[in-house]
PDB file of all heavy atoms in Angstrom:
ATOM      1  N   ILE A  25       0.834  -1.206   0.000  1.00 90.00           N
ATOM      2  CA  ILE A  25       0.000   0.000   0.000  1.00 90.00           C
ATOM      3  C   ILE A  25       0.869   1.256   0.000  1.00 90.00           C
ATOM      4  O   ILE A  25       0.643   2.190  -0.770  1.00 90.00           O
ATOM      5  CB  ILE A  25      -0.941  -0.005   1.215  1.00 90.00           C
ATOM      6  CG1 ILE A  25      -1.958  -1.139   1.107  1.00 90.00           C
ATOM      7  CG2 ILE A  25      -1.652   1.345   1.359  1.00 90.00           C
ATOM      8  CD1 ILE A  25      -2.812  -1.323   2.341  1.00 90.00           C
ATOM      9  N   ALA A  26       1.886   1.263   0.861  1.00 90.00           N
ATOM     10  CA  ALA A  26       2.758   2.430   0.945  1.00 90.00           C
ATOM     11  C   ALA A  26       3.523   2.651  -0.354  1.00 90.00           C
ATOM     12  O   ALA A  26       3.659   3.789  -0.824  1.00 90.00           O
ATOM     13  CB  ALA A  26       3.742   2.253   2.113  1.00 90.00           C
ATOM     14  N   PHE A  27       3.992   1.559  -0.955  1.00 89.00           N
ATOM     15  CA  PHE A  27       4.774   1.699  -2.189  1.00 89.00           C
ATOM     16  C   PHE A  27       3.921   2.221  -3.335  1.00 89.00           C
ATOM     17  O   PHE A  27       4.329   3.130  -4.068  1.00 89.00           O
ATOM     18  CB  PHE A  27       5.387   0.351  -2.567  1.00 89.00           C
ATOM     19  CG  PHE A  27       6.169   0.389  -3.847  1.00 89.00           C
ATOM     20  CD1 PHE A  27       7.439   0.953  -3.874  1.00 89.00           C
ATOM     21  CD2 PHE A  27       5.633  -0.120  -5.016  1.00 89.00           C
ATOM     22  CE1 PHE A  27       8.168   1.004  -5.062  1.00 89.00           C
ATOM     23  CE2 PHE A  27       6.347  -0.080  -6.206  1.00 89.00           C
ATOM     24  CZ  PHE A  27       7.621   0.489  -6.224  1.00 89.00           C
ATOM     25  N   VAL A  28       2.724   1.673  -3.500  1.00 89.00           N
ATOM     26  CA  VAL A  28       1.850   2.110  -4.591  1.00 89.00           C
ATOM     27  C   VAL A  28       1.500   3.585  -4.441  1.00 89.00           C
ATOM     28  O   VAL A  28       1.594   4.365  -5.399  1.00 89.00           O
ATOM     29  CB  VAL A  28       0.585   1.245  -4.638  1.00 89.00           C
ATOM     30  CG1 VAL A  28      -0.443   1.843  -5.601  1.00 89.00           C
ATOM     31  CG2 VAL A  28       0.923  -0.178  -5.056  1.00 89.00           C
ATOM     32  N   PHE A  29       1.123   3.994  -3.234  1.00 83.00           N
ATOM     33  CA  PHE A  29       0.752   5.392  -3.026  1.00 83.00           C
ATOM     34  C   PHE A  29       1.965   6.314  -3.073  1.00 83.00           C
ATOM     35  O   PHE A  29       1.824   7.501  -3.385  1.00 83.00           O
ATOM     36  CB  PHE A  29       0.021   5.555  -1.700  1.00 83.00           C
ATOM     37  CG  PHE A  29      -1.434   5.183  -1.758  1.00 83.00           C
ATOM     38  CD1 PHE A  29      -1.862   3.949  -1.303  1.00 83.00           C
ATOM     39  CD2 PHE A  29      -2.368   6.048  -2.288  1.00 83.00           C
ATOM     40  CE1 PHE A  29      -3.195   3.585  -1.368  1.00 83.00           C
ATOM     41  CE2 PHE A  29      -3.711   5.710  -2.357  1.00 83.00           C
ATOM     42  CZ  PHE A  29      -4.125   4.464  -1.899  1.00 83.00           C
ATOM     43  N   SER A  30       3.153   5.790  -2.755  1.00 81.00           N
ATOM     44  CA  SER A  30       4.346   6.637  -2.790  1.00 81.00           C
ATOM     45  C   SER A  30       4.722   7.043  -4.203  1.00 81.00           C
ATOM     46  O   SER A  30       5.469   8.001  -4.402  1.00 81.00           O
ATOM     47  CB  SER A  30       5.529   5.909  -2.142  1.00 81.00           C
ATOM     48  OG  SER A  30       5.955   4.811  -2.933  1.00 81.00           O
ATOM     49  N   LEU A  31       4.219   6.319  -5.201  1.00 78.00           N
ATOM     50  CA  LEU A  31       4.510   6.684  -6.585  1.00 78.00           C
ATOM     51  C   LEU A  31       3.941   8.049  -6.926  1.00 78.00           C
ATOM     52  O   LEU A  31       4.403   8.709  -7.855  1.00 78.00           O
ATOM     53  CB  LEU A  31       3.941   5.620  -7.540  1.00 78.00           C
ATOM     54  CG  LEU A  31       4.529   4.211  -7.373  1.00 78.00           C
ATOM     55  CD1 LEU A  31       3.869   3.242  -8.344  1.00 78.00           C
ATOM     56  CD2 LEU A  31       6.038   4.237  -7.565  1.00 78.00           C
ATOM     57  N   GLY A  32       2.934   8.455  -6.141  1.00 64.00           N
ATOM     58  CA  GLY A  32       2.382   9.799  -6.306  1.00 64.00           C
ATOM     59  C   GLY A  32       2.900  10.752  -5.258  1.00 64.00           C
ATOM     60  O   GLY A  32       2.390  11.845  -5.100  1.00 64.00           O
ATOM     61  N   TYR A  33       3.906  10.313  -4.496  1.00 51.00           N
ATOM     62  CA  TYR A  33       4.601  11.031  -3.424  1.00 51.00           C
ATOM     63  C   TYR A  33       3.738  11.241  -2.200  1.00 51.00           C
ATOM     64  O   TYR A  33       4.105  10.886  -1.106  1.00 51.00           O
ATOM     65  CB  TYR A  33       5.149  12.382  -3.899  1.00 51.00           C
ATOM     66  CG  TYR A  33       5.940  13.079  -2.806  1.00 51.00           C
ATOM     67  CD1 TYR A  33       7.161  12.587  -2.397  1.00 51.00           C
ATOM     68  CD2 TYR A  33       5.429  14.208  -2.155  1.00 51.00           C
ATOM     69  CE1 TYR A  33       7.870  13.198  -1.371  1.00 51.00           C
ATOM     70  CE2 TYR A  33       6.127  14.820  -1.132  1.00 51.00           C
ATOM     71  CZ  TYR A  33       7.361  14.314  -0.749  1.00 51.00           C
ATOM     72  OH  TYR A  33       8.046  14.909   0.256  1.00 51.00           O
ATOM     73  N   SER A  34       2.572  11.823  -2.301  1.00 52.00           N
ATOM     74  CA  SER A  34       1.741  12.044  -1.123  1.00 52.00           C
ATOM     75  C   SER A  34       0.278  12.054  -1.536  1.00 52.00           C
ATOM     76  O   SER A  34      -0.071  12.369  -2.654  1.00 52.00           O
ATOM     77  CB  SER A  34       2.080  13.371  -0.428  1.00 52.00           C
ATOM     78  OG  SER A  34       1.765  14.460  -1.256  1.00 52.00           O
ATOM     79  N   ALA A  35      -0.557  11.681  -0.570  1.00 50.00           N
ATOM     80  CA  ALA A  35      -1.998  11.708  -0.823  1.00 50.00           C
ATOM     81  C   ALA A  35      -2.701  12.004   0.486  1.00 50.00           C
ATOM     82  O   ALA A  35      -2.461  11.362   1.487  1.00 50.00           O
ATOM     83  CB  ALA A  35      -2.459  10.364  -1.385  1.00 50.00           C
ATOM     84  N   GLY A  36      -3.563  13.014   0.452  1.00 53.00           N
ATOM     85  CA  GLY A  36      -4.295  13.365   1.661  1.00 53.00           C
ATOM     86  C   GLY A  36      -3.407  13.828   2.796  1.00 53.00           C
ATOM     87  O   GLY A  36      -3.752  13.660   3.964  1.00 53.00           O
ATOM     88  N   GLY A  37      -2.264  14.419   2.475  1.00 65.00           N
ATOM     89  CA  GLY A  37      -1.367  14.891   3.516  1.00 65.00           C
ATOM     90  C   GLY A  37      -0.531  13.802   4.167  1.00 65.00           C
ATOM     91  O   GLY A  37       0.137  14.063   5.161  1.00 65.00           O
ATOM     92  N   VAL A  38      -0.547  12.583   3.635  1.00 77.00           N
ATOM     93  CA  VAL A  38       0.216  11.469   4.195  1.00 77.00           C
ATOM     94  C   VAL A  38       1.445  11.229   3.331  1.00 77.00           C
ATOM     95  O   VAL A  38       1.339  11.099   2.105  1.00 77.00           O
ATOM     96  CB  VAL A  38      -0.640  10.183   4.248  1.00 77.00           C
ATOM     97  CG1 VAL A  38       0.175   9.020   4.781  1.00 77.00           C
ATOM     98  CG2 VAL A  38      -1.869  10.420   5.115  1.00 77.00           C
ATOM     99  N   SER A  39       2.609  11.153   3.952  1.00 82.00           N
ATOM    100  CA  SER A  39       3.846  10.890   3.218  1.00 82.00           C
ATOM    101  C   SER A  39       4.049   9.380   3.113  1.00 82.00           C
ATOM    102  O   SER A  39       4.677   8.759   3.977  1.00 82.00           O
ATOM    103  CB  SER A  39       5.040  11.544   3.917  1.00 82.00           C
ATOM    104  OG  SER A  39       6.232  11.251   3.220  1.00 82.00           O
ATOM    105  N   HIS A  40       3.543   8.791   2.058  1.00 86.00           N
ATOM    106  CA  HIS A  40       3.722   7.356   1.846  1.00 86.00           C
ATOM    107  C   HIS A  40       5.166   7.019   1.516  1.00 86.00           C
ATOM    108  O   HIS A  40       5.598   5.880   1.701  1.00 86.00           O
ATOM    109  CB  HIS A  40       2.793   6.883   0.738  1.00 86.00           C
ATOM    110  CG  HIS A  40       1.342   7.044   1.063  1.00 86.00           C
ATOM    111  ND1 HIS A  40       0.673   6.199   1.922  1.00 86.00           N
ATOM    112  CD2 HIS A  40       0.428   7.968   0.658  1.00 86.00           C
ATOM    113  CE1 HIS A  40      -0.590   6.579   2.024  1.00 86.00           C
ATOM    114  NE2 HIS A  40      -0.763   7.647   1.278  1.00 86.00           N
ATOM    115  N   VAL A  41       5.917   7.998   1.026  1.00 91.00           N
ATOM    116  CA  VAL A  41       7.348   7.784   0.803  1.00 91.00           C
ATOM    117  C   VAL A  41       8.038   7.455   2.120  1.00 91.00           C
ATOM    118  O   VAL A  41       8.917   6.583   2.179  1.00 91.00           O
ATOM    119  CB  VAL A  41       7.985   9.027   0.154  1.00 91.00           C
ATOM    120  CG1 VAL A  41       9.509   8.902   0.104  1.00 91.00           C
ATOM    121  CG2 VAL A  41       7.439   9.232  -1.249  1.00 91.00           C
ATOM    122  N   ALA A  42       7.649   8.137   3.189  1.00 91.00           N
ATOM    123  CA  ALA A  42       8.230   7.848   4.502  1.00 91.00           C
ATOM    124  C   ALA A  42       7.898   6.433   4.951  1.00 91.00           C
ATOM    125  O   ALA A  42       8.751   5.725   5.493  1.00 91.00           O
ATOM    126  CB  ALA A  42       7.721   8.863   5.532  1.00 91.00           C
ATOM    127  N   HIS A  43       6.667   6.005   4.728  1.00 94.00           N
ATOM    128  CA  HIS A  43       6.258   4.658   5.131  1.00 94.00           C
ATOM    129  C   HIS A  43       7.043   3.597   4.375  1.00 94.00           C
ATOM    130  O   HIS A  43       7.629   2.689   4.977  1.00 94.00           O
ATOM    131  CB  HIS A  43       4.762   4.477   4.875  1.00 94.00           C
ATOM    132  CG  HIS A  43       3.907   5.432   5.625  1.00 94.00           C
ATOM    133  ND1 HIS A  43       2.544   5.571   5.378  1.00 94.00           N
ATOM    134  CD2 HIS A  43       4.192   6.300   6.629  1.00 94.00           C
ATOM    135  CE1 HIS A  43       2.042   6.488   6.195  1.00 94.00           C
ATOM    136  NE2 HIS A  43       3.020   6.945   6.957  1.00 94.00           N
ATOM    137  N   ALA A  44       7.059   3.702   3.043  1.00 94.00           N
ATOM    138  CA  ALA A  44       7.772   2.719   2.234  1.00 94.00           C
ATOM    139  C   ALA A  44       9.271   2.785   2.498  1.00 94.00           C
ATOM    140  O   ALA A  44       9.952   1.750   2.567  1.00 94.00           O
ATOM    141  CB  ALA A  44       7.484   2.953   0.751  1.00 94.00           C
ATOM    142  N   GLY A  45       9.797   4.005   2.660  1.00 94.00           N
ATOM    143  CA  GLY A  45      11.223   4.153   2.923  1.00 94.00           C
ATOM    144  C   GLY A  45      11.642   3.551   4.249  1.00 94.00           C
ATOM    145  O   GLY A  45      12.678   2.891   4.345  1.00 94.00           O
ATOM    146  N   GLY A  46      10.832   3.762   5.294  1.00 95.00           N
ATOM    147  CA  GLY A  46      11.150   3.186   6.594  1.00 95.00           C
ATOM    148  C   GLY A  46      11.174   1.673   6.559  1.00 95.00           C
ATOM    149  O   GLY A  46      12.032   1.034   7.171  1.00 95.00           O
ATOM    150  N   MET A  47      10.232   1.068   5.821  1.00 96.00           N
ATOM    151  CA  MET A  47      10.186  -0.387   5.723  1.00 96.00           C
ATOM    152  C   MET A  47      11.355  -0.919   4.896  1.00 96.00           C
ATOM    153  O   MET A  47      11.959  -1.948   5.236  1.00 96.00           O
ATOM    154  CB  MET A  47       8.855  -0.835   5.121  1.00 96.00           C
ATOM    155  CG  MET A  47       7.638  -0.451   5.956  1.00 96.00           C
ATOM    156  SD  MET A  47       6.078  -1.132   5.333  1.00 96.00           S
ATOM    157  CE  MET A  47       6.098  -2.751   6.112  1.00 96.00           C
ATOM    158  N   ALA A  48      11.679  -0.245   3.795  1.00 95.00           N
ATOM    159  CA  ALA A  48      12.779  -0.699   2.945  1.00 95.00           C
ATOM    160  C   ALA A  48      14.109  -0.627   3.683  1.00 95.00           C
ATOM    161  O   ALA A  48      14.915  -1.560   3.648  1.00 95.00           O
ATOM    162  CB  ALA A  48      12.832   0.141   1.665  1.00 95.00           C
ATOM    163  N   VAL A  49      14.340   0.489   4.368  1.00 95.00           N
ATOM    164  CA  VAL A  49      15.587   0.640   5.123  1.00 95.00           C
ATOM    165  C   VAL A  49      15.643  -0.376   6.270  1.00 95.00           C
ATOM    166  O   VAL A  49      16.688  -0.956   6.553  1.00 95.00           O
ATOM    167  CB  VAL A  49      15.716   2.083   5.660  1.00 95.00           C
ATOM    168  CG1 VAL A  49      16.883   2.198   6.634  1.00 95.00           C
ATOM    169  CG2 VAL A  49      15.899   3.051   4.503  1.00 95.00           C
ATOM    170  N   GLY A  50      14.505  -0.605   6.929  1.00 95.00           N
ATOM    171  CA  GLY A  50      14.467  -1.603   7.991  1.00 95.00           C
ATOM    172  C   GLY A  50      14.811  -2.989   7.489  1.00 95.00           C
ATOM    173  O   GLY A  50      15.542  -3.739   8.149  1.00 95.00           O
ATOM    174  N   TYR A  51      14.316  -3.350   6.306  1.00 93.00           N
ATOM    175  CA  TYR A  51      14.620  -4.664   5.745  1.00 93.00           C
ATOM    176  C   TYR A  51      16.101  -4.790   5.435  1.00 93.00           C
ATOM    177  O   TYR A  51      16.735  -5.812   5.743  1.00 93.00           O
ATOM    178  CB  TYR A  51      13.793  -4.887   4.483  1.00 93.00           C
ATOM    179  CG  TYR A  51      14.030  -6.233   3.848  1.00 93.00           C
ATOM    180  CD1 TYR A  51      13.413  -7.378   4.351  1.00 93.00           C
ATOM    181  CD2 TYR A  51      14.871  -6.367   2.752  1.00 93.00           C
ATOM    182  CE1 TYR A  51      13.626  -8.612   3.780  1.00 93.00           C
ATOM    183  CE2 TYR A  51      15.097  -7.600   2.176  1.00 93.00           C
ATOM    184  CZ  TYR A  51      14.474  -8.723   2.693  1.00 93.00           C
ATOM    185  OH  TYR A  51      14.713  -9.946   2.115  1.00 93.00           O
TER     186      TYR A  51
END
């Protein structure tokens, strides 16, 4: 979900890039 929405950078004031980035770096 975070990765798909991050392709548009942000939606509804939510930074999905931060969500996907945090998970990717954690992995």
Side-chain angles (χ1 to χ4, degrees):
I25 294 173
F27 178 76
V28 170
F29 279 100
S30 69
L31 298 179
Y33 183 70
S34 65
V38 178
S39 178
H40 297 284
V41 172
H43 300 170
M47 298 186 85
V49 171
Y51 181 80

